[in-house]
């Protein structure tokens, strides 16, 4: 797959971006050879002067003797002319003196020739050395030019190459378990994962038990993409929550029994069955479409708590129902046990009494968020969270399997607040209905460890502050793996977005309407930049961190390293046909907006590049793998989540 054709793929679940370089940094350019590096000096004038001086010193006696013989020859000639010396003797003297003078002149001339010869030899040697060095310099410059062209090509590939590759798992995976992490880290991961699911045509339900508004950016992003998300903030929006209203009495009794078990961690299956039996019989008396407040009224009557006439006056139960409830379990030894359990059930379920009391028909939405109000009590939030999770489980069990895996995705943030059996049932229901499930756990409790990665699931680890949790995660991943962490991840995470404020309910003022909305042009990259805090802060940080764009460090998967992971770092492990993969990703959704980010995975693009090299592609031909991905295009047509269920 070519990156210029890279689009969001519905059959991939995107969890972050992997920093990797296909082409290493070529370093500094090769140094140009300088002609003054080894200069070829001309003949030294001082050496010439010394040579001539030495020759003059050697020739000085000969020149003096020659001068003497020349003067003697002139004197003999004068004596011969004046007749003072006979010409016979004068001729002999002239010949002798002139011959000696001529011989001396010849010797001086030969010495001068020898000096000139040595000077010419030295000049010729210097010339040859200069030519040799010029040839060497020429060859060195040619080699430098070739090396520089090679370096320039490598530098161009290095500068133009992609640096961030998508980290995704196939939709064959049934579930993703996210262990550890901070609220800002979860916010980044949920924003990225949710946005890519929505923009590829899917539906998303977020159950936020973290009380940290981790889906706030995702909601803003969905709005900008043309959707109108539905947000319930419990317990304020409990009257407008109709989840589970259409469940059969048996399923409704099962849901309520699990809700009661929240406060009783060691409650067994037998105990749940006993509670379920009580609730089923009560619902049998109340009939179909019984509400929670009717159930609690019946339980009060069964437990003999308060005055039943008040419930009769409010119309919660009828006199006939009250009479039947009084004879449900007869009288005897077990009566006290039934009364105690009915009292316990009523005390827990009364927190849900307003459920669905003001339910209205809401417009369809592809993003639904159910969150717990951080101002509410911790125990009450656990009850509400368990109810929503269990009700979703029964809705999924009654739904036919989807034709497309992960078409509907459920994200549970803070799943470690749910009981193990509630999680097991939700996992099984999602697997049989082919619904994608993402569970995030703040800590690795024994309940979480038993279920981490169980079945066909991918596991992702984020920052683990607890030393014991970090040790367990390190053993799960394997300490032999060496991962590359981009300095940009550390820099942006240090100045990254936090989780500010909370959710704003939308169901209170939602209006029923047509699903045909004017979506307009939807560009995921632009929407992330303009509508999420991650996009805005990353744009600012990018301008301040240009110098660290290509810096990274390697680390081993050891406990102390997992405790120091940047906020948005995610170690993703999943099984493939080739074996188990371990990859380090950055879940920051703003990385998609970077110019050197692709939706293709690193292994795919690396293999494609190797194939091109084997095919001996033209070296000057620009590689398509070094171009930024194009506009992701508009999202597919909106689908009705309610009809899906």
């Amino acid at each position: 797959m070519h990156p210029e054709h890279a689009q969001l793929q519905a059959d991939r679940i995107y969890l972050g971006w992997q920093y990797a370089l296909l082409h290493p940094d070529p370093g500094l350019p090769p140094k140009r050879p300088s002609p003054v590096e080894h200069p070829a000096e001309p003949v030294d004038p001082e050496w010439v002067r010394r040579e001539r001086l030495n020759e003059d010193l050697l020739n000085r006696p000969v020149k003096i003797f020659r001068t003497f013989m020349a003067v003697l020859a002139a004197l003999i000639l004068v004596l011969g002319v004046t007749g003072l010396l006979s010409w016979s003797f004068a001729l002999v003297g002239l010949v002798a003196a002139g011959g000696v003078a001529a011989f001396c002149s010849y010797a001086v001339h030969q010495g001068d020739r020898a000096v000139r010869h040595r000077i010419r030899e030295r000049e010729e040697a210097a010339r040859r050395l200069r030519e040799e060095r010029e040839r060497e310099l020429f060859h060195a410059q040619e080699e430098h030019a070739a090396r520089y062209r090679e370096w320039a090509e490598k530098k161009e590939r290095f500068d133009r190459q992609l640096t961030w590759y998508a980290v995704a798992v196939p939709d064959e995976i049934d579930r993703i378990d996210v262990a550890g992490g901070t609220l800002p880290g979860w916010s980044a991961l949920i924003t990225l994962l949710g946005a890519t699911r929505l923009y590829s045509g899917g539906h998303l339900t977020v159950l936020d038990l973290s009380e940290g508004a981790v889906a706030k950016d995702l909601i803003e992003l969905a709005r900008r993409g043309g959707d109108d998300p539905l947000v319930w903030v419990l317990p304020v929006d409990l009257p407008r929550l109709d989840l589970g209203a259409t469940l059969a009495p048996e399923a409704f009794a099962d849901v309520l029994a699990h809700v009661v078990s929240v406060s009783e961690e060691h409650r067994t299956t037998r105990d749940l069955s006993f509670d379920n039996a009580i609730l089923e019989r009560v619902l049998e008396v109340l009939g179909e479409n019984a509400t929670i407040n009717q159930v609690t009224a019946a339980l009060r009557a069964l437990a003999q708590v308060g005055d039943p006439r008040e419930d009769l006056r409010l119309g919660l139960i009828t006199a006939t129902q009250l009479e039947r409830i009084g004879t449900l379990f007869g009288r005897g030894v077990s009566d006290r046990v039934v009364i105690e359990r009915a009292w316990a059930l009523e005390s827990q379920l009364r927190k849900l009494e307003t459920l669905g009391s003001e339910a209205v028909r809401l417009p369809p939405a592809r993003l639904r968020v159910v969150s717990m109000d951080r101002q509410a009590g911790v125990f009450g939030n656990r009850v509400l969270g368990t109810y929503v999770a269990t009700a979703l489980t029964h809705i999924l069990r009654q739904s036919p399997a989807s034709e497309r895996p992960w078409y509907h995705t459920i994200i549970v943030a803070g799943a470690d607040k749910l009981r193990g059996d509630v999680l097991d049932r939700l996992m099984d229901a999602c697997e049989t209905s082919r619904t994608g499930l993402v569970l995030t756990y703040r800590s690795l409790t024994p309940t979480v460890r038993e279920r981490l990665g169980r079945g066909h699931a991918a596991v992702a680890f984020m920052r683990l502050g607890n030393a014991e949790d970090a040790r367990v995660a390190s053993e799960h991943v394997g300490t032999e793996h060496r991962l590359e962490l981009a300095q940009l991840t550390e820099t942006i995470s240090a100045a990254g977005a936090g989780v500010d404020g909370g959710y704003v309910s939308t169901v209170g003022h939602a209006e029923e309407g047509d699903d045909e909305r004017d979506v307009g042009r939807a560009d995921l990259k632009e929407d992330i930049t303009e509508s999420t805090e991650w996009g805005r802060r990353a744009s600012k940080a990018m301008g301040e961190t240009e110098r660290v764009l290509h810096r990274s460090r390697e680390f081993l998967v050891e406990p102390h390293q997992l405790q120091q992971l940047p906020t948005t770092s995610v170690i993703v492990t999943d099984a493939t046909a080739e074996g188990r993969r371990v990859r380090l990703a950055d879940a920051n959704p703003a990385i998609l907006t970077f110019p050197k980010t692709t939706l293709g995975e690193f292994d795919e693009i690396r293999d494609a590049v190797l194939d091109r090299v084997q095919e001996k592609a033209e070296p000057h031909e620009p590689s398509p793998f070094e171009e930024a991905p194009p506009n992701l295009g508009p999202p597919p047509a909106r689908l009705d989540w309610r009809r899906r269920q």
Side-chain angles (χ1 to χ4, degrees), residues 91 121 135-136 151 156 277 292 383 386 402 501 508 534 537 545 562 573 620:
L91 289 174
E121 283 186 339
R135 284 195 297 270
E136 291 177 356
W151 175 88
E156 183 182 10
I292 293 289
V383 169
T386 301
S402 172
W534 290 104
R537 296 203 181 190
T545 57
L562 296 181
T573 66
H620 63 274

Side-chain angles (χ1 to χ4, degrees), residues 119-132:
I119 292 174
R120 284 196 300 272
E121 283 186 339
R122 177 63 66 90
E123 291 176 344
E124 183 65 22
R127 184 186 63 78
R128 288 196 300 270
L129 180 60
R130 185 167 55 253
E131 291 177 352
E132 180 64 25

Side-chain angles (χ1 to χ4, degrees), residues 456-469:
H456 195 192
V459 182
F461 293 97
M462 302 186 79
R463 178 189 291 178
L464 293 151
N466 182 276
E468 179 62 19
D469 289 350

Side-chain angles (χ1 to χ4, degrees), residues 348 399 636:
Q348 301 295 333
S399 301

Side-chain angles (χ1 to χ4, degrees), residues 111-122:
D112 292 339
R113 285 184 59 188
V115 170
R116 290 195 297 271
H117 180 70
R118 287 197 298 272
I119 292 174
R120 284 196 300 272
E121 283 186 339
R122 177 63 66 90

Side-chain angles (χ1 to χ4, degrees), residues 336-611:
R336 179 54 52 188
V337 178
V338 172
I339 290 175
E340 289 178 355
R341 286 312 304 163
W343 194 355
L345 290 170
E346 191 274 340
S347 65
Q348 301 295 333
L349 295 180
R350 66 188 308 171
K351 296 179 176 60
L352 299 174
E353 278 189 332
T354 60
L355 177 69
S357 59
E358 300 176 13
V360 295
R361 179 176 174 80
L362 297 172
R366 293 193 301 124
L367 173 61
R368 295 188 170 198
V369 178
V370 181
S371 74
M372 307 299 124
D373 190 347
R374 66 178 67 178
Q375 305 298 329
V378 174
F379 178 72
N381 282 349
R382 291 192 65 184
V383 169
L384 296 174
T386 301
Y387 173 80
V388 174
T390 311
L392 272 175
T393 299
H394 278 280
I395 292 174
L396 292 172
R397 288 167 62 89
Q398 296 173 9
S399 301
S402 172
E403 296 181 359
R404 196 177 90 192
W406 290 79
Y407 168 78
H408 179 210
T409 301
I410 296 176
I411 300 176
V412 182
D416 46 329
K417 296 182 179 180
L418 300 176
R419 279 175 54 105
D421 54 344
V422 175
L423 286 175
D424 290 339
R425 290 154 60 94
L426 179 60
M427 293 176 189
D428 294 341
C430 288
E431 183 177 352
T432 54
S433 63
R434 305 184 77 187
T435 298
L437 179 61
V438 180
L439 302 175
T440 68
Y441 305 103
R442 195 68 178 271
S443 60
L444 299 181
T445 63
T447 300
V448 174
R449 294 180 193 176
E450 292 175 5
R451 292 160 178 81
L452 195 65
R454 189 173 66 184
H456 195 192
V459 182
F461 293 97
M462 302 186 79
R463 178 189 291 178
L464 293 151
N466 182 276
E468 179 62 19
D469 289 350
R471 182 190 63 79
V472 172
S474 176
E475 292 176 355
H476 184 99
V477 177
T479 56
E480 73 279 4
H481 294 287
R482 186 178 295 274
L483 303 176
E484 185 175 7
L485 176 64
Q487 188 173 344
L488 189 63
T489 295
E490 297 182 289
T491 303
I492 295 183
S493 290
V499 179
D500 300 323
Y503 294 109
V504 177
S505 171
T506 62
V507 298
H509 53 78
E511 297 180 359
E512 181 179 357
D514 193 358
D515 196 31
E516 296 296 329
R517 302 185 183 95
D518 184 14
V519 176
R521 184 182 64 85
D523 184 343
L524 179 54
K525 294 167 60 177
E526 180 182 336
D527 293 350
I528 288 175
T529 301
E530 297 186 5
S531 64
T532 69
E533 190 66 20
W534 290 104
R536 290 188 288 269
R537 296 203 181 190
S539 299
K540 179 180 178 182
M542 277 290 291
E544 301 172 354
T545 57
E546 288 291 333
R547 64 184 183 279
V548 300
L549 285 178
H550 293 300
R551 294 183 186 176
S552 63
R553 65 177 176 88
E554 289 187 340
F555 69 93
L556 294 173
V557 184
E558 297 175 342
H560 72 279
Q561 294 285 1
L562 296 181
Q563 291 178 274
Q564 299 172 4
L565 279 177
T567 302
T568 56
S569 290
V570 187
I571 299 176
V572 181
T573 66
D574 64 307
T576 65
E578 292 77 22
R580 189 158 165 265
R581 292 187 300 179
V582 177
R583 294 169 290 172
L584 178 65
D586 189 338
N588 189 339
I591 293 179
L592 179 61
T593 66
F594 293 176
K596 296 182 180 180
T597 301
T598 177
L599 287 165
E601 294 193 72
F602 176 72
D603 292 340
E604 295 176 348
I605 293 181
R606 180 188 58 192
D607 294 342
V609 170
L610 292 177
D611 290 342

Side-chain angles (χ1 to χ4, degrees), residues 147-416:
R147 289 198 308 271
Y148 187 85
R149 285 192 297 270
E150 182 180 357
W151 175 88
E153 292 175 359
K154 292 181 179 179
K155 181 66 173 174
E156 183 182 10
R157 287 197 299 268
F158 175 77
D159 290 338
R160 296 180 58 198
Q161 71 179 325
L162 298 167
T163 55
W164 294 97
Y165 300 83
V167 173
V169 294
D171 61 5
E172 300 169 358
I173 296 290
D174 296 325
R175 189 180 75 258
I176 298 172
D177 294 332
V178 182
T182 61
L183 292 181
W186 283 3
S187 171
L189 181 63
I190 290 174
T191 301
L192 171 63
L193 196 151
T196 52
R197 298 313 302 156
L198 291 174
Y199 276 67
S200 60
H203 286 207
L204 191 67
T205 298
V206 179
L207 174 55
D208 186 1
L209 306 179
S210 69
E211 303 179 11
V214 293
K216 188 176 179 181
D217 273 353
L218 177 60
I219 293 171
E220 295 301 321
L221 190 59
R223 285 199 182 104
R224 184 171 179 83
D227 206 354
D228 289 331
L230 294 177
V231 181
W232 289 265
V233 181
L234 305 182
V236 177
D237 287 328
L238 197 59
R240 290 174 287 275
L241 181 67
D242 60 352
L243 187 65
T246 59
L247 291 177
E250 296 81 5
F252 196 39
D254 182 75
V255 170
L256 298 181
H258 277 84
V259 169
V260 173
S261 68
V262 170
S263 61
E264 302 167 338
E265 292 291 340
H266 302 290
R267 196 155 181 78
T268 63
T269 304
R270 180 178 176 273
D271 297 328
L272 283 172
S273 300
F274 186 66
D275 289 348
N276 191 56
I278 294 177
L279 290 167
E280 279 188 354
R281 293 192 180 188
V282 168
L283 288 170
E284 191 176 313
V285 171
L286 296 175
E288 294 186 2
N289 301 323
T291 61
I292 293 289
N293 54 0
Q294 289 178 307
V295 173
T296 55
L299 290 173
R300 282 193 295 272
L302 184 61
Q304 302 175 13
V305 178
D307 188 355
R309 288 177 296 182
E310 182 66 20
D311 292 331
L312 288 171
R313 185 181 66 81
L314 295 175
L316 297 179
I317 56 175
T318 64
T320 303
Q321 291 172 340
L322 181 61
E323 182 180 355
R324 290 185 60 189
I325 290 171
T327 59
L328 269 179
F329 295 93
R331 295 287 182 265
V333 180
S334 63
D335 186 52
R336 179 54 52 188
V337 178
V338 172
I339 290 175
E340 289 178 355
R341 286 312 304 163
W343 194 355
L345 290 170
E346 191 274 340
S347 65
Q348 301 295 333
L349 295 180
R350 66 188 308 171
K351 296 179 176 60
L352 299 174
E353 278 189 332
T354 60
L355 177 69
S357 59
E358 300 176 13
V360 295
R361 179 176 174 80
L362 297 172
R366 293 193 301 124
L367 173 61
R368 295 188 170 198
V369 178
V370 181
S371 74
M372 307 299 124
D373 190 347
R374 66 178 67 178
Q375 305 298 329
V378 174
F379 178 72
N381 282 349
R382 291 192 65 184
V383 169
L384 296 174
T386 301
Y387 173 80
V388 174
T390 311
L392 272 175
T393 299
H394 278 280
I395 292 174
L396 292 172
R397 288 167 62 89
Q398 296 173 9
S399 301
S402 172
E403 296 181 359
R404 196 177 90 192
W406 290 79
Y407 168 78
H408 179 210
T409 301
I410 296 176
I411 300 176
V412 182
D416 46 329

